[in-house]
Amino acid sequence: MKLDFSQLNKQTKQSFIDQHAVIKKVMHGKVVVCEQCRQPLILITPEQSERPGIGCSKGCTFISLEFT
Ligand SMILES: [Zn+2]
């Protein structure tokens, strides 16, 4: 059996790029919807939650952000 990681790495890199695109859009006030539930993604600040990031209200999409 041969393990092929090339596809996995490609997908990981792509999702990284996608996440950055989503973060940029939300930060600029553009509406991005969750791919799962079609709810708009919202910015969760450190004041609002212990886990700041960008996600939908249902929580199926969540991108954690580092606020420093
Ligand atoms: Zn969702």
Side-chain angles (χ1 to χ4, degrees), residues 8-24:
L8 182 74
N9 286 339
K10 218 171 157 186
Q11 282 175 354
T12 305
K13 199 183 170 203
Q14 187 56 47
S15 69
F16 185 76
I17 294 164
D18 288 347
Q19 283 188 358
H20 270 253
V22 168
I23 292 163
K24 252 185 161 177

Side-chain angles (χ1 to χ4, degrees), residues 34 36-37 56 58-61:
C34 171
Q36 309 284 324
C37 67
C56 67
K58 287 191 174 183
C60 37
T61 295

Side-chain angles (χ1 to χ4, degrees), residues 20 23 27 43-46 50-54 62-68:
H20 270 253
I23 292 163
M27 291 284 197
L43 182 68
I44 301 146
T45 62
E50 283 180 13
R51 285 175 68 225
I54 286 168
F62 185 79
I63 303 165
S64 64
L65 289 176
E66 298 280 331
F67 283 86
T68 48

